[in-house]
Amino acid sequence: MPKPRQTPPTQRLLRGRRAYAAGQGAEALAAEALAAEGWTLLGQRIRTGAGEIDLIAERQGLLAFIEVKARPSLAEAAFALGPRQRARLIVAAEAWLAEHPGHGAAGMRFDVMLVAADGTIRRIADAFRVEES
């Protein structure tokens, strides 16, 4: 049985760096879109003990934890958030809320912002709920 082909570390490193840069670019576009809609950005790439939250924004007391997914097309991005990531995002949001009480007086939700390679952005507001994950 042939051995699986392994990618040299330098290629993996370069691919990882490109993905990281693309993710930062997509998050910057999403943050700009949120600001244009009147949202106040409370944080970007927030690290908690449970994981990272891409964006946290608030508007008129409504708190949104936002996962940004960048893919070549919006359709591909729409399928990029699986159950494990949703569960991780919920736990990370709970950790952030424990450290930042007083936000979300009008409620909270989990949004997903899809970013295509051409810069098209689509937001899925209230994309999932805690009881669904």
Side-chain angles (χ1 to χ4, degrees):
M1 190 168 190
K3 288 173 71 175
R5 188 171 161 212
Q6 293 186 346
T7 306
T10 53
Q11 286 181 338
R12 276 195 312 260
L13 182 63
L14 288 173
R15 205 171 36 239
R17 285 182 180 165
R18 281 193 297 267
Y20 181 82
Q24 281 188 315
E27 287 170 12
L29 286 173
E32 288 175 18
L34 288 166
E37 293 176 6
W39 290 84
T40 299
L41 192 64
L42 301 178
Q44 189 168 351
R45 289 202 170 199
I46 302 299
R47 293 181 189 270
T48 72
E52 185 177 274
I53 303 170
D54 292 339
L55 300 170
I56 301 172
E58 193 168 31
R59 182 176 69 182
Q60 298 174 346
L62 178 62
L63 184 64
F65 295 97
I66 302 149
E67 182 71 15
V68 179
K69 290 296 180 186
R71 296 292 186 274
S73 71
L74 291 176
E76 291 172 85
F79 291 102
L81 185 66
R84 286 181 61 196
Q85 278 188 308
R86 287 193 303 267
R88 177 203 46 81
L89 185 58
I90 290 167
V91 175
E94 290 171 345
W96 186 87
L97 281 168
E99 293 182 16
H100 301 88
H103 288 282
M108 73 168 217
R109 69 183 195 203
F110 294 92
D111 292 358
V112 177
M113 292 189 78
L114 312 173
V115 181
D118 66 1
T120 304
I121 300 172
R122 177 116 345 110
R123 180 174 31 179
I124 302 172
D126 207 10
F128 61 93
R129 295 176 185 253
V130 173
E131 56 272 359
E132 294 173 0
S133 295

